[in-house]
Amino acid sequence: MNAQPIQQADPESLPLQPTIFVIFGITGDLASRKLLPALLGLYVKKQLPKRFAVIGITRRTFTREEFRESIRSHMHVRPGQFKEEDIKHFLDHFSYEQGMFDDSVLYTNLAKSIKSVDDRWGQCSNKLFHLSVPPTLYEGILTNVAGSSLNIPCADGSGWTRILIEKPFGNDTKTAQSLDKLLGKLFDEEQIFRIDHYLAKESLQNILAFRFANAMFEPLWHRQYIDKVHIKLFEKVTVEGRGQFYDGVGALKDVGQNHILAMLALIAMDEPKSFDVNAIRRERARALDRLVPISARTLPKFVTKGQYEGYNREPGIPADSDTETYFRIEARIKSPRWKNVPFYLESGKAFAEAKTEIDVYFKSSSCKPGNAKAFHGDDPKCIEKQNVLTFRIQPDEGIKVRFFVKTPGYSLATEPKMLKFRYADTLAHPDALGDYERLIHDAFIGDQSLFASTDEIMASWRYVTPILEKWEELPLKIYKKGVNEIE
Ligand code: BG6
């Protein structure tokens, strides 16, 4: 396919129909960090319908004022990022329902609140439900939402009902299948939006644009020219008070099965027949489906797990916890394009610096084949001679290419230089949206391209589950906080 624009948000297509946004777990960590700041960002950019209401569901009891004050004080926004007046007007759209998530009375009250907003607005409005709660609560909430008929869109077709589900989507292949089955029973596929917020990052979307809009790279996107790919998601933060959630999950399920595999899919996928939602999702899923399963025999060779020193002294973590905060996998993809090309997938918390990037190493004619294969057995001299294309996902989003030029002088010696593009230099765009802003926006307009499909989720679990089944057998490396890499 020739260079073509990837689907772009069209401000004209924004939803102007009244919308009620129901957030389960509105006082929780995810809502404070990601969801509410994004909603506020969209409000300030005038990207929300004029008539919108947020109904938060929480187990706590507040007065209306206390509720808004609690939202205000917990919302992660930088000082001065938004005008106080805007925040105040934004919060005027908020109300809440108190109750236990498994109590059917909560849903009866919620249905009444929704109806009273509809009555006030004089129409049946759109409803968007967001589950900002631990996955163990999904089944109860979904069943109760359906039990109160809240899953049914307006009878006259005037408003839709959609549901946003956060990762981790299940715990393994079996639980993901049963969650999917439940969702399929209660909602139509067009109503379900499965979030992997990495897919909505500008710098990730740019991988596809860059690959398919620049004719010079795609012909080289092949094992004949590519030596290896290294996908890193390093975080400086520790579990940061999310111990209770994190300890039941671990790095591989927290970011491996979803964010890292989403990056792999975008690098490894074939060119879609078109850039429509289904074609893109189908190719992403196909790439994941071709991952070569890691067997019990090859596990110790291809997989490493680790934990930062002091993890089990964090609040909410049992002293004897062996949950991993780091993993590295050497993955392979079964396809003519990628046969024998290692994909190193690596992620850790408490690293020296936050850095998410993808390095694509090209084969070098001055390197003996095989010399640059092994992860830490790399011949450094060999690696120095390779062209490297780096997608910098965050921070300091951009793309760079290492190439070689002749060193001035009498000999033909060469030295490496960089071609660089930084978003911050040239692409600060008024329409740029943060990841959660984009996700909410797309859920409003009903575009599922940046959401994970069932096929992608199932393919990624099929790869990760056999590894998790043998997880206990792998030794746990303890690493110091503030490392740059793990041997
Ligand atoms: C979340 C994980 O999905 O992604 C967190 O649960 C992780 O543990 C976060 O810190 C990373 O996302 P981002 O957008 O900050 O890179």
Side-chain angles (χ1 to χ4, degrees), residues 30 33-34 166-168 196-198 201 233 235 237-240 242 245-246 249 253-255 258-259 349 356 393-394 435-436:
L30 179 69
R33 270 175 208 259
K34 299 270 195 189
E166 288 285 341
K167 48 117 296 218
D196 176 337
H197 74 279
Y198 264 62
K201 287 187 189 286
L233 193 168
E235 296 185 278
V237 292
T238 60
V239 290
E240 281 190 313
R242 295 165 70 221
F245 158 79
Y246 192 87
V249 178
K253 284 194 267 185
D254 187 39
V255 300
N258 33 71
H259 307 333
K349 288 206 185 275
T356 300
I393 307 300
Q394 62 187 34
D435 42 30
Y436 266 78

Side-chain angles (χ1 to χ4, degrees), residues 261 285 288-289 291 454-464:
L261 289 184
L288 296 172
D289 211 32
L291 280 161
T454 300
D455 288 347
E456 287 168 88
I457 291 175
M458 294 320 300
S460 56
W461 276 123
R462 275 196 297 277
Y463 181 64
V464 167

Side-chain angles (χ1 to χ4, degrees), residues 40-60:
L40 172 57
L42 288 173
Y43 174 73
V44 170
K45 290 178 187 138
K46 304 206 182 321
Q47 306 267 310
L48 291 182
K50 278 208 178 65
R51 282 183 165 170
F52 81 96
V54 177
I55 304 180
I57 312 292
T58 170
R59 284 177 278 204
R60 299 189 220 160

Side-chain angles (χ1 to χ4, degrees), residues 66 98 129 207 214 235 267 287 311-312 346 374 407 451 467-469 481:
E66 281 168 354
Q98 187 274 335
F129 293 91
I207 297 174
N214 295 298
E235 296 185 278
I267 293 289
Y311 168 79
N312 49 15
E346 194 178 21
T407 307
F451 292 84
I467 302 177
L468 288 169
E469 281 166 358
K481 282 185 187 169

Side-chain angles (χ1 to χ4, degrees), residues 113-379:
S113 290
I114 290 179
K115 175 147 188 334
S116 74
V117 178
D118 276 356
D119 289 346
R120 199 168 70 232
W121 290 344
Q123 75 177 96
C124 182
S125 48
N126 297 331
K127 278 105 197 164
L128 185 58
F129 293 91
H130 183 270
L131 271 53
S132 197
V133 296
T136 45
L137 300 174
Y138 287 176
E139 187 175 340
I141 293 178
L142 293 169
T143 315
N144 274 302
V145 163
S148 315
S149 304
L150 289 168
N151 56 334
I152 302 171
C154 305
D156 58 2
S158 60
W160 44 252
T161 295
R162 295 181 183 144
I163 182 134
L164 287 161
I165 300 263
E166 288 285 341
K167 48 117 296 218
F169 192 88
N171 231 348
D172 53 21
T173 311
K174 222 166 121 202
T175 48
Q177 262 162 352
S178 67
L179 177 56
D180 211 48
K181 209 162 139 202
L182 178 71
L183 275 165
K185 219 166 70 188
L186 307 178
F187 295 90
D188 292 335
E189 186 55 30
E190 301 73 49
Q191 293 182 283
I192 309 168
F193 291 73
R194 302 170 185 85
I195 295 183
D196 176 337
H197 74 279
Y198 264 62
L199 286 173
K201 287 187 189 286
E202 271 292 340
S203 49
L204 241 77
Q205 294 169 53
N206 198 21
I207 297 174
L208 279 200
F210 183 85
R211 279 187 57 194
F212 300 124
N214 295 298
M216 65 197 279
F217 286 103
E218 200 50 23
L220 306 182
W221 223 245
H222 191 271
R223 68 194 191 92
Q224 205 179 334
Y225 303 103
I226 292 182
D227 187 45
K228 63 178 181 180
V229 176
H230 191 169
I231 303 178
K232 300 170 211 159
L233 193 168
F234 294 160
E235 296 185 278
K236 198 169 172 181
V237 292
T238 60
V239 290
E240 281 190 313
R242 295 165 70 221
Q244 235 172 348
F245 158 79
Y246 192 87
D247 200 58
V249 178
L252 184 54
K253 284 194 267 185
D254 187 39
V255 300
Q257 176 268 334
N258 33 71
H259 307 333
I260 294 241
L261 289 184
M263 292 190 264
L264 174 139
L266 291 170
I267 293 289
M269 68 189 256
D270 288 339
E271 185 170 356
K273 292 215 162 53
S274 74
F275 282 114
D276 86 31
V277 183
N278 292 329
I280 296 178
R281 290 169 121 198
R282 200 175 313 119
E283 287 305 334
R284 289 201 310 246
R286 254 160 47 101
L288 296 172
D289 211 32
R290 290 168 167 173
L291 280 161
V292 179
I294 293 190
S295 67
R297 193 177 50 80
T298 53
L299 186 79
K301 182 165 172 236
F302 290 135
V303 186
T304 308
K305 68 176 188 182
Q307 185 187 77
Y308 65 79
E309 216 170 57
Y311 168 79
N312 49 15
R313 292 194 296 275
E314 300 263 10
I317 314 273
D320 59 352
S321 169
D322 57 5
T323 295
E324 83 287 358
T325 58
Y326 167 87
F327 69 85
R328 185 177 68 233
I329 299 177
E330 181 178 329
R332 300 290 162 116
I333 294 172
K334 198 171 41 187
S335 76
R337 191 198 278 267
W338 295 118
K339 190 167 175 239
N340 289 334
V341 177
F343 278 71
Y344 297 105
L345 316 177
E346 194 178 21
S347 178
K349 288 206 185 275
F351 266 54
E353 61 169 326
K355 175 159 72 172
T356 300
E357 67 181 25
I358 305 170
D359 294 317
V360 180
Y361 291 82
F362 288 86
K363 290 183 173 165
S364 156
S365 53
S366 40
C367 254
K368 276 199 224 102
N371 269 14
K373 281 274 150 58
F375 187 73
H376 284 297
D378 283 339
D379 173 350

